[in-house]
Short mmCIF file of all heavy atoms in Angstrom, two decimals:
data_model
loop_
_atom_site.label_atom_id
_atom_site.label_comp_id
_atom_site.label_asym_id
_atom_site.label_seq_id
_atom_site.Cartn_x
_atom_site.Cartn_y
_atom_site.Cartn_z
N GLY Q 109 16.75 2.15 34.00
CA GLY Q 109 15.52 2.56 34.65
C GLY Q 109 15.46 4.04 34.99
O GLY Q 109 14.50 4.49 35.61
N GLY Q 111 15.03 6.44 32.93
CA GLY Q 111 14.09 7.17 32.08
C GLY Q 111 14.63 7.56 30.72
O GLY Q 111 14.05 8.41 30.04
N LYS Q 112 15.69 6.94 30.27
CA LYS Q 112 16.26 7.28 28.96
C LYS Q 112 15.30 6.93 27.83
O LYS Q 112 15.04 7.75 26.95
CB LYS Q 112 17.59 6.51 28.74
CG LYS Q 112 18.61 6.73 29.83
CD LYS Q 112 19.91 6.02 29.51
CE LYS Q 112 19.79 4.50 29.52
NZ LYS Q 112 19.51 3.94 30.86
N SER Q 113 14.76 5.70 27.90
CA SER Q 113 13.82 5.31 26.85
C SER Q 113 12.58 6.19 26.89
O SER Q 113 12.04 6.56 25.85
CB SER Q 113 13.41 3.84 27.02
OG SER Q 113 14.53 3.01 26.89
N THR Q 114 12.16 6.52 28.09
CA THR Q 114 11.00 7.40 28.23
C THR Q 114 11.25 8.74 27.54
O THR Q 114 10.38 9.24 26.82
CB THR Q 114 10.69 7.62 29.72
OG1 THR Q 114 10.57 6.35 30.35
CG2 THR Q 114 9.43 8.41 29.91
N GLN Q 147 16.10 -0.89 20.13
CA GLN Q 147 17.18 -1.79 20.55
C GLN Q 147 17.16 -3.07 19.72
O GLN Q 147 18.21 -3.61 19.39
CB GLN Q 147 17.02 -2.13 22.03
CG GLN Q 147 18.09 -3.07 22.53
CD GLN Q 147 18.26 -3.03 24.03
OE1 GLN Q 147 17.50 -2.37 24.74
NE2 GLN Q 147 19.25 -3.72 24.53
N ASP Q 222 17.68 4.12 20.47
CA ASP Q 222 17.59 3.60 21.83
C ASP Q 222 18.47 2.35 21.96
O ASP Q 222 18.04 1.25 21.65
CB ASP Q 222 16.14 3.25 22.17
CG ASP Q 222 15.95 3.02 23.66
OD1 ASP Q 222 16.96 3.05 24.40
OD2 ASP Q 222 14.81 2.82 24.08
N GLU Q 223 19.68 2.55 22.38
CA GLU Q 223 20.65 1.45 22.53
C GLU Q 223 20.62 0.50 21.34
O GLU Q 223 20.47 -0.71 21.51
CB GLU Q 223 20.36 0.65 23.80
CG GLU Q 223 20.44 1.47 25.05
CD GLU Q 223 20.12 0.63 26.27
OE1 GLU Q 223 20.70 -0.46 26.38
OE2 GLU Q 223 19.29 1.05 27.08
N VAL Q 254 20.81 6.95 22.86
CA VAL Q 254 20.79 6.46 24.24
C VAL Q 254 21.73 5.26 24.30
O VAL Q 254 21.67 4.38 23.45
CB VAL Q 254 19.37 6.03 24.64
CG1 VAL Q 254 19.41 5.13 25.87
CG2 VAL Q 254 18.52 7.25 24.91
N HIS Q 256 24.40 2.66 27.02
CA HIS Q 256 24.95 2.30 28.32
C HIS Q 256 26.46 2.41 28.32
O HIS Q 256 27.11 2.26 29.34
CB HIS Q 256 24.60 0.84 28.65
CG HIS Q 256 23.27 0.68 29.29
ND1 HIS Q 256 22.34 -0.22 28.83
CD2 HIS Q 256 22.72 1.31 30.33
CE1 HIS Q 256 21.26 -0.13 29.58
NE2 HIS Q 256 21.46 0.80 30.49
MG1 LIG E 1249 15.61 1.73 27.87
#
Side-chain angles (χ1 to χ4, degrees):
Chain Q
K112 305 183 293 294
S113 298
T114 307
Q147 179 159 6
D222 194 356
E223 300 179 49
V254 163
H256 274 130

